[in-house]
Amino acid sequence: MSQEDALRPGEQRLAIAPDDDAALRFIGHIETPFPERADCPRQGSEEGPECTLVLKSDYAPALLGLEGFDRIEVLYWLHRARRDLLTQNPGQDGVFRGTFSLRSPLRPNPIGTSVVRLIRAEGCRVTVRGLDCLDQTPLLDIKPYRCDYAPLAKGKNIKVK
Ligand code: SAM
């Protein structure tokens, strides 16, 4: 656990057992220009730098059709986050919030989500703008952003550019 993860005065934590595995499978990793937490934006922006989702080669066929979407949702595992905080003092100002009322990376299951702009998909590499995670963050999933879905009825379930 890094110094960044040290408890702040007054924060409460849960005494947890060593991680029991939820058996998620990482599908790849994310390359970003953010080596440290202090370099990351708190939330990504479509004006932000290009980042790359690098899939393990076995998952390449699962990208079929993705290029039809302007925006996609990316789920990732915030692997350097502590997982035992119940309350947090993000502003270090004495104002405490419960973990579930925050988008803090510090949570029992540190899953991050971002809706990002799809720039291109080539082979196992998907270039996007709008991420806020560390370089080498494990990649969990990719989904088309739900606003791009037409109604599921009548057999027409995706909008292609
Ligand atoms: N957009 C996601 C969400 O809303 O679920 C994550 C938001 S969280 C506030 C983003 C912050 O998490 C970054 O500013 C950085 O401090 C931290 N972070 C990014 N990647 C991380 C990683 N792999 N492990 C731990 N913390 C990370």
Side-chain angles (χ1 to χ4, degrees):
M1 196 174 294
S2 73
Q3 185 64 26
E4 287 174 294
D5 291 328
L7 279 187
R8 292 172 183 158
E11 289 181 334
Q12 299 172 54
R13 65 178 292 275
L14 181 69
I16 51 172
D19 297 351
D20 52 342
D21 195 352
L24 292 169
R25 287 199 175 92
F26 298 152
I27 60 169
H29 67 275
I30 306 178
E31 295 176 354
T32 76
F34 313 127
E36 297 298 332
R37 291 228 303 249
D39 305 317
C40 296
R42 289 192 75 80
Q43 291 291 342
S45 152
E46 290 188 0
E47 282 72 54
E50 287 191 357
C51 299
T52 307
L53 316 178
V54 184
L55 275 80
K56 295 178 184 170
S57 57
D58 285 353
Y59 290 102
L63 293 174
L64 184 65
L66 192 73
E67 278 183 290
F69 295 90
D70 290 327
R71 288 190 176 79
I72 58 175
E73 195 165 354
V74 182
L75 287 77
Y76 37 100
W77 188 253
L78 299 160
H79 64 310
R80 282 173 46 187
R82 65 183 298 157
R83 302 177 63 177
D84 60 347
L85 281 190
L86 301 175
T87 62
Q88 304 182 36
N89 181 15
Q92 301 188 58
D93 54 3
V95 179
F96 288 86
R97 301 270 302 271
T99 290
F100 301 139
S101 75
L102 294 167
R103 294 199 71 97
S104 162
L106 316 178
R107 47 202 323 111
N109 294 303
I111 294 172
T113 66
S114 288
V115 174
V116 301
R117 181 167 288 280
L118 176 61
I119 308 298
R120 62 184 167 275
E122 290 166 340
C124 294
R125 298 175 69 86
V126 180
T127 305
V128 302
R129 286 185 191 271
L131 279 172
D132 53 14
C133 61
L134 290 167
D135 188 36
Q136 304 303 316
T137 291
L139 178 61
L140 288 175
D141 205 353
I142 301 170
K143 304 182 186 190
Y145 183 46
R146 59 185 173 279
C147 291
D148 283 334
Y149 273 90
L152 284 167
K154 302 189 174 69
K156 186 181 174 190
N157 63 355
I158 60 170
K159 185 182 96 183
V160 177
K161 269 194 266 183

